[in-house]
Amino acid sequence: MTLLDEILSIALTAAPWLLLGLLAAGLVKAFIPETMLQRWLGGRGIAAVSRAAVIGAPLPLCSCGAIPTALALHRGGAGRGPTTAFLVGTPGIGVDSVAISYALLGPFMMAARALGAVCTAIATGLLVGAARETGMPRHGATQTDCCAAGCDAPAQQGREQAIYTRLAGGLRYAFTDVLDDISVWLLIGLLVAGSMIAFMPPENLAAWGSGLLPMVFMALIGIPMYICATAATPIAAGLILAGVSPGTALVFLLAGPITSMATLGVLRRELGAGALARYLTGIGVSSVLLGTLVDLLVTRAGLDIAGQMGAARELLPQWLGWMALLLLAVLAVRPARRALGRALPGSAP
Protein backbone atom coordinates (compact mmCIF):
# COMPACT_ATOMS: atom_id res chain seq x y z
CA MET A 1 0.00 0.00 0.00
CA THR A 2 2.92 2.35 0.57
CA LEU A 3 3.86 2.21 -3.11
CA LEU A 4 0.30 2.89 -4.25
CA ASP A 5 -0.06 5.71 -1.74
CA GLU A 6 3.10 7.42 -2.99
CA ILE A 7 2.13 7.06 -6.65
CA LEU A 8 -1.36 8.38 -6.00
CA SER A 9 -0.03 11.28 -3.93
CA ILE A 10 2.30 12.39 -6.73
CA ALA A 11 -0.43 11.92 -9.38
CA LEU A 12 -2.96 14.01 -7.43
CA THR A 13 -0.41 16.78 -6.96
CA ALA A 14 0.61 16.82 -10.61
CA ALA A 15 -2.78 16.41 -12.32
CA PRO A 16 -4.20 19.97 -11.99
CA TRP A 17 -0.92 21.54 -13.03
CA LEU A 18 -0.52 19.17 -15.96
CA LEU A 19 -4.03 20.07 -17.06
CA LEU A 20 -3.13 23.76 -16.86
CA GLY A 21 0.08 23.13 -18.78
CA LEU A 22 -1.73 21.31 -21.56
CA LEU A 23 -4.18 24.20 -21.83
CA ALA A 24 -1.26 26.63 -22.18
CA ALA A 25 0.33 24.33 -24.76
CA GLY A 26 -2.87 24.47 -26.79
CA LEU A 27 -2.82 28.28 -26.72
CA VAL A 28 0.81 28.34 -27.89
CA LYS A 29 -0.01 25.95 -30.72
CA ALA A 30 -3.06 27.97 -31.76
CA PHE A 31 -1.52 31.43 -31.87
CA ILE A 32 2.19 30.97 -32.73
CA PRO A 33 2.36 29.60 -36.30
CA GLU A 34 5.53 28.10 -37.73
CA THR A 35 5.92 30.87 -40.31
CA MET A 36 6.22 33.40 -37.50
CA LEU A 37 8.87 31.26 -35.82
CA GLN A 38 10.89 31.18 -39.03
CA ARG A 39 10.82 34.99 -39.25
CA TRP A 40 11.90 35.37 -35.63
CA LEU A 41 14.70 32.81 -35.77
CA GLY A 42 16.43 33.77 -38.98
CA GLY A 43 20.03 34.94 -39.03
CA ARG A 44 23.22 34.01 -37.23
CA GLY A 45 25.27 35.12 -34.25
CA ILE A 46 24.67 35.34 -30.52
CA ALA A 47 21.48 37.38 -30.85
CA ALA A 48 19.89 34.81 -33.17
CA VAL A 49 21.04 31.93 -30.95
CA SER A 50 19.57 33.59 -27.85
CA ARG A 51 16.28 34.31 -29.63
CA ALA A 52 16.05 30.71 -30.78
CA ALA A 53 16.64 29.40 -27.24
CA VAL A 54 14.12 31.75 -25.61
CA ILE A 55 11.43 31.35 -28.26
CA GLY A 56 11.80 27.58 -28.39
CA ALA A 57 11.60 27.13 -24.60
CA PRO A 58 7.80 27.47 -24.11
CA LEU A 59 6.82 25.42 -27.16
CA PRO A 60 5.14 22.09 -26.28
CA LEU A 61 7.30 19.75 -28.36
CA CYS A 62 9.29 16.64 -27.43
CA SER A 63 12.90 16.15 -28.50
CA CYS A 64 11.98 14.58 -31.83
CA GLY A 65 8.85 16.68 -32.24
CA ALA A 66 11.14 19.71 -32.54
CA ILE A 67 13.11 18.14 -35.41
CA PRO A 68 10.83 19.12 -38.37
CA THR A 69 10.59 22.75 -37.26
CA ALA A 70 14.33 22.96 -36.60
CA LEU A 71 15.14 21.50 -40.01
CA ALA A 72 12.71 23.87 -41.69
CA LEU A 73 14.44 26.78 -39.96
CA HIS A 74 17.88 25.58 -41.08
CA ARG A 75 16.80 24.99 -44.65
CA GLY A 76 15.04 28.35 -44.65
CA GLY A 77 18.32 30.15 -43.94
CA ALA A 78 18.84 29.96 -40.17
CA GLY A 79 22.42 29.26 -39.14
CA ARG A 80 23.62 26.15 -37.39
CA GLY A 81 23.77 27.96 -34.06
CA PRO A 82 20.13 29.13 -33.93
CA THR A 83 18.96 25.80 -35.35
CA THR A 84 20.80 23.93 -32.60
CA ALA A 85 19.61 26.33 -29.90
CA PHE A 86 16.03 25.77 -30.98
CA LEU A 87 16.55 22.01 -31.12
CA VAL A 88 17.94 22.06 -27.55
CA GLY A 89 15.72 24.67 -25.93
CA THR A 90 12.37 23.47 -27.24
CA PRO A 91 12.25 19.99 -25.63
CA GLY A 92 14.24 21.04 -22.56
CA ILE A 93 11.31 22.88 -21.03
CA GLY A 94 7.79 23.88 -22.10
CA VAL A 95 4.69 25.50 -20.73
CA ASP A 96 3.31 22.11 -19.75
CA SER A 97 6.45 20.99 -17.92
CA VAL A 98 6.85 24.37 -16.19
CA ALA A 99 3.50 23.89 -14.49
CA ILE A 100 4.18 20.34 -13.35
CA SER A 101 7.70 21.35 -12.27
CA TYR A 102 6.21 23.92 -9.90
CA ALA A 103 3.81 21.33 -8.52
CA LEU A 104 6.32 18.53 -7.98
CA LEU A 105 9.68 20.29 -7.57
CA GLY A 106 8.84 23.66 -6.07
CA PRO A 107 9.56 27.23 -7.25
CA PHE A 108 13.37 27.12 -6.97
CA MET A 109 13.79 23.97 -9.05
CA MET A 110 11.19 25.19 -11.55
CA ALA A 111 13.18 28.39 -12.09
CA ALA A 112 16.50 26.52 -12.16
CA ARG A 113 15.15 24.12 -14.75
CA ALA A 114 13.74 26.83 -17.01
CA LEU A 115 16.87 28.98 -16.86
CA GLY A 116 19.07 25.90 -17.17
CA ALA A 117 17.31 24.78 -20.36
CA VAL A 118 17.74 28.22 -21.95
CA CYS A 119 21.41 28.50 -20.87
CA THR A 120 22.16 25.00 -22.18
CA ALA A 121 20.50 25.87 -25.49
CA ILE A 122 22.49 29.10 -25.87
CA ALA A 123 25.82 27.50 -24.92
CA THR A 124 25.30 24.51 -27.23
CA GLY A 125 24.07 26.72 -30.07
CA LEU A 126 27.13 28.97 -29.83
CA LEU A 127 29.43 25.94 -29.70
CA VAL A 128 27.90 24.35 -32.79
CA GLY A 129 27.64 27.70 -34.56
CA ALA A 130 31.35 28.33 -34.07
CA ALA A 131 32.13 25.52 -36.52
CA ARG A 132 32.46 26.43 -40.17
CA GLU A 133 29.23 26.07 -42.17
CA THR A 134 29.32 23.20 -44.67
CA GLY A 135 26.63 24.52 -47.00
CA MET A 136 22.97 23.78 -47.31
CA PRO A 137 21.92 20.19 -46.56
CA ARG A 138 21.07 17.89 -49.41
CA HIS A 139 18.60 15.66 -47.61
CA GLY A 140 14.95 16.10 -48.35
CA ALA A 141 13.30 14.33 -45.45
CA THR A 142 12.06 16.54 -42.64
CA GLN A 143 10.20 14.01 -40.54
CA THR A 144 11.20 11.05 -38.42
CA ASP A 145 9.29 8.10 -37.00
CA CYS A 146 10.38 8.71 -33.42
CA CYS A 147 7.05 9.94 -32.02
CA ALA A 148 3.58 8.51 -32.13
CA ALA A 149 1.95 11.81 -33.07
CA GLY A 150 4.18 14.76 -32.22
CA CYS A 151 6.66 14.57 -35.10
CA ASP A 152 4.39 16.02 -37.75
CA ALA A 153 5.25 19.58 -38.67
CA PRO A 154 2.58 21.98 -37.41
CA ALA A 155 -0.08 22.70 -40.00
CA GLN A 156 -0.02 26.22 -41.39
CA GLN A 157 -2.80 28.31 -39.92
CA GLY A 158 -4.40 30.77 -42.31
CA ARG A 159 -4.36 34.35 -41.08
CA GLU A 160 -8.02 34.72 -41.87
CA GLN A 161 -9.12 31.78 -39.73
CA ALA A 162 -11.51 32.56 -36.93
CA ILE A 163 -10.04 32.69 -33.42
CA TYR A 164 -12.45 29.98 -32.32
CA THR A 165 -11.25 27.61 -35.03
CA ARG A 166 -7.59 28.22 -34.19
CA LEU A 167 -8.26 27.82 -30.49
CA ALA A 168 -10.17 24.59 -31.04
CA GLY A 169 -7.35 23.24 -33.19
CA GLY A 170 -4.72 24.16 -30.60
CA LEU A 171 -6.63 22.55 -27.75
CA ARG A 172 -7.31 19.46 -29.84
CA TYR A 173 -3.57 19.21 -30.52
CA ALA A 174 -2.69 19.61 -26.81
CA PHE A 175 -5.24 17.14 -25.47
CA THR A 176 -4.73 14.53 -28.21
CA ASP A 177 -1.28 14.66 -29.83
CA VAL A 178 0.67 16.03 -26.86
CA LEU A 179 -1.22 13.97 -24.29
CA ASP A 180 -0.82 10.81 -26.39
CA ASP A 181 2.93 11.43 -26.66
CA ILE A 182 3.47 11.92 -22.93
CA SER A 183 0.84 9.72 -21.27
CA VAL A 184 2.74 6.41 -21.30
CA TRP A 185 6.01 8.03 -20.30
CA LEU A 186 4.27 10.06 -17.62
CA LEU A 187 2.77 6.89 -16.17
CA ILE A 188 6.20 5.26 -16.19
CA GLY A 189 7.61 8.34 -14.49
CA LEU A 190 4.99 8.21 -11.75
CA LEU A 191 5.67 4.49 -11.17
CA VAL A 192 9.42 5.07 -10.99
CA ALA A 193 9.05 8.07 -8.69
CA GLY A 194 6.66 6.26 -6.35
CA SER A 195 8.95 3.22 -6.22
CA MET A 196 12.00 5.32 -5.40
CA ILE A 197 10.21 7.17 -2.60
CA ALA A 198 8.71 3.99 -1.17
CA PHE A 199 11.65 1.59 -1.38
CA MET A 200 14.92 3.54 -1.60
CA PRO A 201 16.20 4.77 1.78
CA PRO A 202 17.41 8.37 1.46
CA GLU A 203 20.67 7.62 3.25
CA ASN A 204 21.64 5.07 0.57
CA LEU A 205 21.17 7.47 -2.34
CA ALA A 206 22.52 10.47 -0.47
CA ALA A 207 25.92 8.74 -0.30
CA TRP A 208 26.33 8.97 -4.09
CA GLY A 209 23.63 11.50 -4.92
CA SER A 210 25.85 14.57 -5.21
CA GLY A 211 29.18 15.52 -6.71
CA LEU A 212 30.73 15.40 -10.15
CA LEU A 213 30.62 11.63 -10.75
CA PRO A 214 26.85 11.21 -10.17
CA MET A 215 26.17 14.24 -12.39
CA VAL A 216 28.27 12.84 -15.22
CA PHE A 217 26.46 9.51 -14.80
CA MET A 218 23.07 11.26 -15.02
CA ALA A 219 24.17 13.06 -18.19
CA LEU A 220 25.39 9.83 -19.79
CA ILE A 221 22.16 7.96 -19.14
CA GLY A 222 19.98 10.98 -19.94
CA ILE A 223 21.39 11.99 -23.34
CA PRO A 224 20.42 8.83 -25.32
CA MET A 225 17.12 8.42 -23.45
CA TYR A 226 13.81 9.40 -25.04
CA ILE A 227 11.70 11.00 -22.34
CA CYS A 228 9.74 14.23 -22.52
CA ALA A 229 10.23 17.09 -20.08
CA THR A 230 6.87 16.52 -18.39
CA ALA A 231 7.40 12.79 -17.86
CA ALA A 232 10.91 13.36 -16.48
CA THR A 233 9.58 15.59 -13.70
CA PRO A 234 8.13 12.95 -11.34
CA ILE A 235 11.32 10.89 -11.71
CA ALA A 236 13.39 13.90 -10.67
CA ALA A 237 11.05 14.50 -7.74
CA GLY A 238 11.50 10.91 -6.64
CA LEU A 239 15.29 11.24 -6.91
CA ILE A 240 15.36 14.34 -4.71
CA LEU A 241 13.00 12.91 -2.09
CA ALA A 242 15.07 9.73 -2.03
CA GLY A 243 18.25 11.66 -1.23
CA VAL A 244 19.81 12.70 -4.55
CA SER A 245 21.04 16.30 -4.63
CA PRO A 246 18.93 18.91 -6.51
CA GLY A 247 21.84 19.60 -8.87
CA THR A 248 22.17 15.94 -9.83
CA ALA A 249 18.41 15.76 -10.45
CA LEU A 250 18.70 18.92 -12.58
CA VAL A 251 21.31 17.23 -14.80
CA PHE A 252 18.80 14.46 -15.49
CA LEU A 253 16.03 17.02 -16.14
CA LEU A 254 18.21 18.81 -18.69
CA ALA A 255 20.00 15.91 -20.42
CA GLY A 256 17.06 13.49 -20.57
CA PRO A 257 14.37 15.51 -22.38
CA ILE A 258 16.68 17.60 -24.58
CA THR A 259 17.81 14.83 -26.90
CA SER A 260 17.28 11.24 -27.95
CA MET A 261 18.85 8.72 -30.31
CA ALA A 262 16.51 9.92 -33.06
CA THR A 263 17.64 13.52 -32.57
CA LEU A 264 21.29 12.49 -32.64
CA GLY A 265 20.82 10.60 -35.90
CA VAL A 266 19.02 13.45 -37.64
CA LEU A 267 21.50 16.04 -36.36
CA ARG A 268 24.48 14.04 -37.65
CA ARG A 269 22.86 13.63 -41.07
CA GLU A 270 21.87 17.28 -41.29
CA LEU A 271 24.87 19.10 -39.78
CA GLY A 272 27.65 16.51 -39.78
CA ALA A 273 29.66 14.51 -37.26
CA GLY A 274 31.61 17.56 -36.06
CA ALA A 275 28.42 19.42 -35.16
CA LEU A 276 27.11 16.32 -33.39
CA ALA A 277 30.25 16.12 -31.24
CA ARG A 278 29.92 19.80 -30.32
CA TYR A 279 26.22 19.30 -29.62
CA LEU A 280 26.89 16.43 -27.20
CA THR A 281 29.74 18.33 -25.55
CA GLY A 282 27.60 21.42 -25.08
CA ILE A 283 24.72 19.53 -23.49
CA GLY A 284 26.93 17.38 -21.26
CA VAL A 285 29.22 20.13 -20.00
CA SER A 286 26.46 22.72 -19.59
CA SER A 287 24.14 20.41 -17.66
CA VAL A 288 26.92 19.29 -15.26
CA LEU A 289 28.10 22.87 -14.67
CA LEU A 290 24.54 24.03 -14.02
CA GLY A 291 23.94 21.11 -11.67
CA THR A 292 27.08 22.00 -9.74
CA LEU A 293 25.97 25.64 -9.52
CA VAL A 294 22.53 24.66 -8.24
CA ASP A 295 23.99 22.45 -5.51
CA LEU A 296 26.29 25.30 -4.50
CA LEU A 297 23.41 27.77 -4.32
CA VAL A 298 21.23 25.37 -2.35
CA THR A 299 24.04 24.74 0.14
CA ARG A 300 25.06 28.38 0.53
CA ALA A 301 21.48 29.66 0.85
CA GLY A 302 20.35 26.77 3.05
CA LEU A 303 17.33 26.08 0.84
CA ASP A 304 14.96 23.28 1.81
CA ILE A 305 14.11 21.89 -1.64
CA ALA A 306 12.14 18.94 -0.22
CA GLY A 307 10.12 21.40 1.87
CA GLN A 308 9.29 23.47 -1.20
CA MET A 309 8.13 20.34 -2.97
CA GLY A 310 5.81 19.49 -0.08
CA ALA A 311 4.40 23.01 0.08
CA ALA A 312 3.12 22.78 -3.49
CA ARG A 313 0.81 19.96 -2.43
CA GLU A 314 -1.06 22.28 -0.09
CA LEU A 315 -1.91 24.91 -2.68
CA LEU A 316 -4.88 23.11 -4.22
CA PRO A 317 -7.72 21.19 -2.58
CA GLN A 318 -7.69 17.43 -2.88
CA TRP A 319 -11.03 17.29 -4.70
CA LEU A 320 -9.52 19.38 -7.52
CA GLY A 321 -6.67 16.89 -7.83
CA TRP A 322 -9.12 14.00 -8.10
CA MET A 323 -11.20 15.80 -10.73
CA ALA A 324 -8.14 16.72 -12.80
CA LEU A 325 -6.73 13.20 -12.54
CA LEU A 326 -10.04 11.66 -13.61
CA LEU A 327 -10.34 14.02 -16.58
CA LEU A 328 -6.77 13.31 -17.68
CA ALA A 329 -7.38 9.57 -17.38
CA VAL A 330 -10.47 9.84 -19.61
CA LEU A 331 -8.66 12.01 -22.15
CA ALA A 332 -5.64 9.68 -22.24
CA VAL A 333 -7.78 6.66 -23.22
CA ARG A 334 -8.72 7.15 -26.86
CA PRO A 335 -12.10 5.32 -26.85
CA ALA A 336 -13.17 7.23 -23.73
CA ARG A 337 -11.93 10.47 -25.29
CA ARG A 338 -13.95 9.86 -28.46
CA ALA A 339 -17.06 9.08 -26.39
CA LEU A 340 -16.58 12.30 -24.42
CA GLY A 341 -16.14 14.24 -27.64
CA ARG A 342 -19.41 12.87 -29.05
CA ALA A 343 -21.21 13.87 -25.87
CA LEU A 344 -20.00 17.49 -26.06
CA PRO A 345 -21.06 20.21 -28.49
CA GLY A 346 -18.93 20.51 -31.59
CA SER A 347 -16.71 18.00 -33.30
CA ALA A 348 -15.08 15.14 -31.41
CA PRO A 349 -11.33 15.26 -30.74
Side-chain angles (χ1 to χ4, degrees), residues 217-312:
F217 177 72
M218 285 292 178
L220 289 176
I221 65 173
I223 285 176
M225 184 183 296
Y226 176 66
I227 184 169
C228 71
T230 302
T233 309
I235 297 177
L239 287 170
I240 294 174
L241 291 175
V244 171
S245 74
T248 304
L250 179 65
V251 174
F252 173 76
L253 285 172
L254 294 176
I258 280 175
T259 190
S260 65
M261 292 305 295
T263 311
L264 300 180
V266 171
L267 191 99
R268 183 183 183 282
R269 183 189 66 192
E270 188 75 9
L271 301 182
L276 176 61
R278 289 169 177 258
Y279 171 85
L280 292 172
T281 301
I283 293 173
V285 173
S286 297
S287 60
V288 170
L289 288 177
L290 289 166
T292 303
L293 178 60
V294 163
D295 275 351
L296 181 63
L297 289 175
V298 169
T299 302
R300 292 287 178 88
L303 296 177
D304 181 10
I305 301 300
Q308 290 187 10
M309 295 164 64

Side-chain angles (χ1 to χ4, degrees), residues 49 62 69 108 111 127 160 173 210 232 252 257 288 297 315:
V49 169
C62 60
T69 304
F108 176 82
L127 189 62
E160 303 301 322
Y173 166 78
S210 62
F252 173 76
V288 170
L297 289 175
L315 291 177

Side-chain angles (χ1 to χ4, degrees), residues 39-217:
R39 289 198 304 270
W40 287 347
L41 302 183
R44 292 171 172 80
I46 188 170
V49 169
S50 300
R51 280 199 310 271
V54 172
I55 292 172
L59 299 183
L61 294 174
C62 60
S63 62
C64 53
I67 290 173
T69 304
L71 295 189
L73 293 173
H74 186 233
R75 294 169 185 183
R80 300 170 73 166
T83 300
T84 303
F86 182 86
L87 195 59
V88 171
T90 302
I93 192 73
V95 287
D96 50 342
S97 55
V98 165
I100 196 173
S101 294
Y102 180 79
L104 295 184
L105 301 175
F108 176 82
M109 286 298 293
M110 178 197 70
R113 182 183 191 180
L115 291 174
V118 173
C119 290
T120 300
I122 293 174
T124 306
L126 291 174
L127 189 62
V128 173
R132 188 169 62 89
E133 295 275 4
T134 57
M136 293 300 293
R138 294 170 302 204
H139 306 286
T142 60
Q143 297 184 14
T144 64
D145 297 326
C146 52
C147 298
C151 283
D152 293 332
Q156 295 296 325
Q157 299 285 346
R159 291 186 179 181
E160 303 301 322
Q161 281 184 304
I163 292 179
Y164 174 81
T165 303
R166 296 173 65 182
L167 180 60
L171 293 179
R172 186 177 298 113
Y173 166 78
F175 287 98
T176 56
D177 290 1
V178 174
L179 186 58
D180 286 345
D181 280 344
I182 70 174
S183 56
V184 174
W185 289 104
L186 186 58
L187 178 59
I188 293 173
L190 292 172
L191 293 174
V192 171
S195 300
M196 287 189 296
I197 297 171
F199 300 125
M200 291 186 182
E203 58 271 15
N204 290 353
L205 285 177
W208 61 270
S210 62
L212 181 61
L213 187 59
M215 291 183 187
V216 172
F217 177 72

